[in-house]
Amino acid sequence: MDKSSLILCRTPLQALIVNQLIKNINSNLTIVYVANNDSSLHKSYFSRIKHAEKIFLSYKPRFKLDSLNSLYDWYRLPIAIRKKKYDHLYVASISILIFGFFAARNSEAEINLFDDGFFNVNKEIFDRWLNTNYFSYQIIRFLFNGLNPKEIYSKISLHLTIFPFSMSSHIKTEKKAI
């Protein structure tokens, strides 16, 4: 059986890093880009991702709560992508609700973290992400079976980084240069 991987990204920098990751992934790969704002840069950088199987979700807030907008984004993804079984999951921002759904539904998948600008190398911000657990997110994670950032972090196998390893020493996992 062929191995499959999913990469979730949200920013132009992440899209550039994804192009580097693609070179080392030897499996059927799906890339999901969920824009985190309405800047035209997102579509531009998405188009630079050198891979055929990719999907772009534009920023379309419908609700006042970000958690409901994230749930809406989850259902905007094609059902085939939501239901597919992945062997490897890649993410830069582990607090993304959608990624928590993928991680829960693919409990045997290897989870790999890659850099999200300076957020992953800033211990204070990274710790804040790990502890982000707003009540609305808790309810949605409970009702729709999603992992929270701490649960995702505990499953990370590898941190792929463009920075010197010492800059992410607070991330307690094996590191590899991209």
Side-chain angles (χ1 to χ4, degrees), residues 20-177:
Q20 295 303 311
L21 293 176
I22 290 169
K23 296 175 185 177
N24 297 313
I25 296 175
N26 297 318
S27 63
N28 294 322
L29 176 61
T30 302
I31 300 167
V32 175
Y33 189 119
V34 183
N36 65 357
N37 62 46
D38 62 358
S39 169
S40 61
L41 286 175
H42 289 290
K43 195 70 166 167
S44 173
Y45 278 82
F46 171 76
S47 68
R48 296 179 193 183
I49 296 174
K50 298 174 177 91
H51 189 68
E53 191 175 338
K54 60 185 181 177
I55 185 165
F56 181 80
L57 292 183
S58 58
Y59 183 72
K60 289 187 177 181
R62 300 278 193 244
F63 307 97
K64 289 185 180 186
L65 291 174
D66 286 337
S67 56
L68 292 177
N69 287 315
S70 293
L71 184 60
Y72 173 70
D73 286 342
W74 172 252
Y75 284 103
R76 288 173 55 208
L77 286 171
I79 196 165
I81 290 175
R82 286 185 278 140
K83 292 199 175 231
K84 186 173 179 179
K85 289 296 178 194
Y86 298 98
D87 299 292
H88 304 278
L89 300 171
Y90 296 81
V91 69
S93 307
I94 64 174
S95 64
I96 298 171
L97 190 62
I98 289 175
F99 189 78
F101 295 154
F102 279 117
R105 285 158 178 76
N106 295 275
S107 60
E108 299 300 314
E110 177 181 289
I111 297 178
N112 299 299
L113 178 68
F114 64 94
D115 288 328
D116 182 18
F118 283 102
F119 293 106
N120 284 348
V121 297
N122 182 312
K123 182 181 179 345
E124 189 175 303
I125 293 173
F126 188 77
D127 287 346
R128 197 173 321 132
W129 275 1
L130 285 180
N131 294 305
T132 298
N133 208 11
Y134 301 116
F135 186 66
S136 63
Y137 280 80
Q138 290 176 25
I139 291 170
I140 289 173
R141 284 186 183 107
F142 176 77
L143 293 175
F144 294 92
N145 186 30
L147 297 183
N148 67 46
K150 282 185 178 179
E151 292 168 322
I152 293 167
Y153 178 70
S154 73
K155 293 174 159 262
I156 292 174
S157 299
L158 183 64
H159 177 209
L160 300 148
T161 184
I162 59 176
F163 299 106
F165 294 169
S166 61
M167 291 181 75
S168 60
S169 61
H170 59 280
I171 298 175
K172 303 299 181 198
T173 189
E174 181 183 348
K175 294 171 187 18
K176 183 177 178 185

